[in-house]
Amino acid sequence: MCGMLLALLALAHGGAQRQLFRQYGQTEGLSNLNVRCIAQDHTGYLWVGTDNGLFRYDGGTFQIFGHAEGLANTEIIGLAEAPNGVIWAATQGGLARLSGKRFVTVDFGVPGEADGIVFDPAGVAYVKYPKGISRGVPGKDGSFAFKTIVSGDIQAITVLNGDLVFGLNGDVMHMAGGMPQSVGASVGLPSDHWEALSLDSLGNLWARSPTRLFELARGQARFVDRSIGVPHTNEGRLFSDRHGRVFVSSLLGLVIVEGNHVSLIDSAHGLPGDYVGPMLVDREESLWFGVDGAGLARRLGHGEWVSWTREDGLLNSSVWAIRTDALGQLWVGTSGGLTILDAQGKVMRSWTSHNGLAGDRVYSITPGPAGDFYVGTGPVGVSHFDGHGRLLRTYGEDSGITADQASSLLVDGEKRLWVMGNGGCFRSRTALGAGRTLTFERVEIPGIPAPRSFRHVILDKAGDVWIASSGGLLRFDGKSWKVFGSEEGLKALDLAAVAMGRNAIWVSYRDAFGMSKLGLGPDAGKVTHYTMQDGLSSNEVYAMAFDLSGRLWLNTDAGVDVLEEGRWWRHYGSQKGLIWDDTNSRALDVSPRGDVWVGTSGGMSRFRRADYPIPEVAPPVVLTSVRGVAREWQTGDRPVLPYSQRSLYIRYAGLSFEAEREVRFRYRLNGYDQAWNETNERSVHFAALPAGHYVFQVVAVNPSGLQSATPASFEFTIRPAWWQSWWFVASCLLLAGFLGYVFWHLRVRAFLAQKELLERQVAERTAQLRESHRQLEEIAYFDILTSLPNRRMFTEEFRKRLAMARRPSEPFALLLIDLDHFKQINDTYGHNAGDAVLVETSCLLRGIVRESDCVARLGGDEFAVLLFTAQDPETVESVCHRILDSFAGGIPFENTTLSVGCSIGIAMYPEHGETQESLYKSADVALYEAKRTGRNLFCWHRYQTGD
């Protein structure tokens, strides 16, 4: 018993490292934290049985299966997947299997509790209950015929190599010829309550009881006790992976057996709790287990990362510098001082300013030529230690180092110590040696004005010194300096770190510019830049180092990136086992055995590559739900949706748990858009889709770019709306034709009516124009007041008559008539009276002459008459007498009679003139003579007169 306790103490305290785990509980939807069993189905879903409900995990959320989903009893004791892919659950109240999205109860021939269930390759079910085992043979219709085949105190039950193996009454048995036969006691297995049995990938048989662990190695004749170092448990659980590792539950944590090595992970080193229950290694080789009362936990990564924090012995969790020595000891510089760990990770010694360290913030560590170490601190100082971690001497400002901190240290080929800092670059004046006291000189670099920041220094194989500074990349070959800047291809001069490897010099930048590679030798002058677009997880690169396999490791503010063979190999962050994502400057070291050490602001992590390859599995993609407006659809359904329900909400998941938060998705909806859409979301909503046939497809993509081999798909059809149906469209076409005909007919009628209207309007307009023309002519040729031809028309008529008279030489008479005393009437009675006289005069004249004669008003009180029918003087004079007589009675106006007379001048064609001018002049002279003679009379030209 004492030996057991010592073994447990050695197991528990042999190393202080921790691993990282993610805990799953109520936040993720796992509402019950007492996990009883875990299984992964062929699709990739993780199933978790608890004291109150069965849960299915898809990498994002847990979906519960309880009473509402058909489980008569929700205390889940065991889970198994049949060869046909159906999930079965053993519960406190019996047996159930999944059908669609609901569980149905299965009668296994025994009422009450089912403690567990397993299947053989032929699909035969074996159900364990408290007093026996019931065997169920599947029928063609999918039903099972159960029958009890073993009775007694049954403990473990499993199928190994196709055979049923179980614990019975303290022994381990297997079925042979329908009868149980012992395979335990006969080969050295003591009688015990064997609750778990497992056959590992190497062919070794393991048996676990609450207090003991035994192994029957392949090819060996007897079981061997492997209980040393394995704590007790209340319920024995075992799980073996494909690499020969065996995972053992216990009350004190998780036990991992790898060959002869036994390790324990407990709550003091990262485990969410100590009491570990059921375990599972999934297809990505992530380790899952239940922790009593703490829910479900998953180890981040595959065990290649272990970590240390202040809780594990570091002086501070912010780690700035790491170095491993030839003995495997680890020198760790933190914000609290220097810690030295032995090869097993146990703290050996710590140094701070209180016990002689130059400063409490350790920024750099470099080995000396004699197995010793130099440690750079802030405030500025360098402490010298021997190989056993004993402090020998400390150098500060009094030694010539005047920077604010020792950011980076280096011992060059001449064994002189270089110190980099903010504000200066310093070098020891003499070579390092036993018993020598060092002094330092500031190194003046041509082309680099002071003050400058010198951040990182390395030594290449040729002995040249390379420095990353705020003024560019510097190289010292022992004689002269060369400065590399923008002309050599650098994106900026302010550098953070430098590394040498693969025939190139690599630099990172103080600002977020990523990293650059400057070729050397045959590749001299060739510059390659790397940023997030080329695969970096961040453009903030703090430190760089090559491991023993030639892989380039980068510290960033988003974790660690690894470059292998020119491509980004893998990214490590807190989701894959790194203690913290925000790494620190120069806190990156590769040990002689090939381990990679990374310092972060949350602790220190060590990467040790597994002895076996870690599978890179493309994430399977599944549709977790498809909801329409009125119902939810199964993924295999092909619904035809009415137009009124043309919206769908589809949820999907990538069943990759290792990178569950980094999985991306690409989806498309064939029939709507052939292009793939990329998203981090796990759902998509299609609203108001048009009628048609659609196929939704989605694939999952892991951080390495691997995507699901087969898309998850859902096919559906949306019926056209009633107004889009053929009969409606045909009816609309017929109606449109009819309406078109009616419209055409009405249009023709309207056109004809319009034509008629237009013709009437044209006719009316023509008449109006004619009338307007007539009115214009009347205005142009007639006197407005008397309606007699005016002077213009009289002149034209005169000219026409004169032309006609010339041909047969027909005589006619021209009378010029002027009213006597007309001005006196205007002045006495007004213009209205004058107008009345003029109008009456025109009436009198028209009444006296014939219609063929022409009477005109020439203007004012002057009138003219062309007598075409009077060809002799007697007739002319007769007309003149009638004119004079017509004025004898006066002209009535209002209440009076106006006394008016007239004078007439007569000229005869051709006697008195043969032209219009001469004839008119003759008549005018005669008129003048009539007025001169006494008025109210007529006169002939050449002074012929008459009364």
Side-chain angles (χ1 to χ4, degrees), residues 24-25 100 136 174 196 320 369 373-374 457 513 575 855:
Y24 298 82
H174 82 103
W320 293 96
F373 276 86
Y374 291 86
V457 58
F513 294 133
Q575 292 301 308
V855 179

Side-chain angles (χ1 to χ4, degrees), residues 621-852:
V621 63
V622 293
L623 302 182
T624 56
S625 70
V626 181
R627 294 185 178 274
V629 175
R631 58 168 291 184
E632 182 172 354
W633 303 95
Q634 300 293 329
T635 56
D637 294 337
R638 296 183 177 182
V640 178
L641 307 176
Y643 190 78
S644 60
Q645 300 178 14
R646 63 188 191 278
S647 297
L648 282 180
Y649 181 74
I650 303 176
R651 292 186 58 87
Y652 41 82
L655 302 180
S656 173
F657 307 123
E658 179 185 10
E660 56 192 9
R661 296 182 180 179
E662 301 174 17
V663 173
R664 294 173 290 113
F665 298 92
R666 299 176 67 236
Y667 71 87
R668 67 180 178 182
L669 185 62
N670 286 322
Y672 183 77
D673 186 2
Q674 298 296 320
W676 289 92
N677 303 280
E678 190 161 323
T679 180
N680 293 324
E681 299 297 325
R682 293 173 176 262
S683 63
V684 62
H685 182 210
F686 296 105
L689 289 170
H693 181 74
Y694 300 97
V695 178
F696 173 76
Q697 292 179 311
V698 61
V699 295
V701 185
N702 71 7
S704 299
L706 290 178
Q707 73 175 33
S708 313
T710 303
S713 62
F714 182 74
E715 187 174 349
F716 62 98
T717 301
I718 297 176
R719 287 198 302 261
W722 62 267
W723 62 85
Q724 296 173 325
S725 60
W726 68 266
W727 58 266
F728 182 78
V729 173
S731 300
C732 288
L733 290 175
L734 290 175
L735 180 60
F738 174 74
L739 293 177
Y741 170 77
V742 173
F743 176 77
W744 175 82
H745 186 69
L746 294 176
R747 183 67 176 168
V748 170
R749 292 184 60 183
F751 177 75
L752 293 176
Q754 185 72 17
K755 181 181 178 183
E756 294 176 358
L757 176 61
L758 183 61
E759 290 176 347
R760 287 198 304 271
Q761 291 177 341
V762 169
E764 292 174 359
R765 183 60 177 163
T766 301
Q768 291 175 357
L769 291 174
R770 288 174 178 171
E771 177 63 20
S772 298
H773 183 68
R774 186 195 62 78
Q775 292 176 358
L776 289 174
E777 286 186 345
E778 184 175 334
I779 294 173
Y781 293 99
F782 292 88
D783 179 58
I784 297 175
L785 179 62
T786 63
S787 297
L788 292 177
N790 57 16
R791 181 182 291 273
R792 181 179 180 183
M793 188 173 180
F794 175 77
T795 302
E796 290 185 6
E797 287 292 327
F798 194 180
R799 185 173 60 252
K800 291 177 183 179
R801 185 60 185 174
L802 191 62
M804 292 173 61
R806 285 196 186 106
R807 289 194 296 270
S809 201
E810 293 180 356
F812 65 88
L814 169 63
L815 307 183
L816 292 180
I817 304 171
D818 192 66
L819 298 181
D820 296 333
H821 308 297
F822 180 75
K823 184 177 182 301
Q824 184 178 355
I825 293 173
N826 271 338
D827 293 342
T828 304
Y829 297 100
H831 290 287
N832 290 339
D835 291 345
V837 170
L838 294 175
V839 172
E840 184 62 23
T841 299
S842 66
C843 292
L844 292 174
L845 294 177
R846 276 198 295 255
I848 294 171
V849 302
R850 297 181 180 181
E851 290 184 4
S852 58

Side-chain angles (χ1 to χ4, degrees), residues 26-92:
Q26 294 180 350
T27 302
E28 294 77 19
L30 186 64
S31 56
N32 189 279
L33 301 183
N34 291 321
V35 177
R36 302 290 298 273
C37 49
I38 311 171
Q40 187 176 30
D41 64 22
H42 70 284
T43 303
Y45 284 113
L46 194 74
W47 293 82
V48 181
T50 72
D51 281 349
N52 187 18
L54 175 62
F55 296 84
R56 188 183 71 180
Y57 185 58
D58 62 11
T61 59
F62 285 89
Q63 179 185 356
I64 187 171
F65 291 82
H67 293 299
E69 289 72 31
L71 286 175
N73 188 287
T74 58
E75 185 176 348
I76 312 300
I77 302 173
L79 289 170
E81 184 182 30
N84 63 357
V86 176
I87 290 291
W88 292 63
T91 75
Q92 186 69 30

Side-chain angles (χ1 to χ4, degrees), residues 900-933:
V900 180
C902 67
S903 299
I904 304 172
I906 307 169
M908 198 75 177
Y909 174 83
E911 182 180 352
H912 300 139
E914 294 183 352
T915 66
Q916 184 174 350
E917 292 78 7
S918 60
L919 190 62
Y920 187 88
K921 183 176 181 182
S922 297
D924 189 53
V925 169
L927 175 62
Y928 176 76
E929 182 63 22
K931 283 188 173 289
R932 188 184 66 82
T933 302

